[in-house]
Amino acid sequence: MRVWIYSRLSNDDDCEMNSLLNQQEICQTFAERQGHQVIGQSSDDNASGMNFSRRGLDELTVAVDAGRLDAVFVKDCCAIMGLNQKDLENQGILA
């Protein structure tokens, strides 16, 4: 499977566990273990997930529109959606 790795770090994320490099390494390791081909990656640093006009997300969108990939790997869905754990809990998605 052809995969793209996307990572995002907001201004609220100061934990090293959430660093862009850490997110990319987690996704890269998972892809390799599963035998997937990483065809690209992009990231957005210090970017709010509520803003969908982001350079890294735009790169991902171009790749999707061109049919270059089969899946997108993110450390967690908040990288794209801009929700944090508290938002998901408030919506009843996480307990």
Side-chain angles (χ1 to χ4, degrees):
M1 183 175 353
R2 303 167 303 162
V3 301
W4 187 281
I5 295 173
Y6 176 74
S7 54
R8 181 184 63 82
L9 194 65
S10 77
N11 14 352
D12 297 332
D13 295 330
D14 57 358
C15 174
E16 185 160 324
M17 290 293 295
N18 285 326
S19 73
L20 292 174
L21 182 58
N22 186 57
Q23 292 177 49
Q24 293 163 353
E25 287 176 353
I26 288 170
C27 292
Q28 181 76 36
T29 299
F30 180 79
E32 290 172 359
R33 287 186 180 158
Q34 299 299 314
H36 302 309
Q37 175 189 11
V38 177
I39 58 103
Q41 68 178 18
S42 60
S43 62
D44 289 301
D45 192 8
N46 200 21
S48 169
M50 300 306 286
N51 177 2
F52 284 96
S53 178
R54 307 188 301 255
R55 183 190 53 79
L57 189 59
D58 292 344
E59 291 175 21
L60 168 60
T61 302
V62 168
V64 168
D65 289 344
R68 294 179 35 212
L69 55 116
D70 302 306
V72 176
F73 283 10
V74 295
K75 180 180 170 275
D76 60 56
C77 60
C78 299
I80 293 180
M81 296 186 327
L83 299 174
N84 60 36
Q85 183 171 348
K86 192 54 82 178
D87 293 326
L88 297 173
E89 289 171 354
N90 290 339
Q91 294 178 27
I93 297 170
L94 290 178

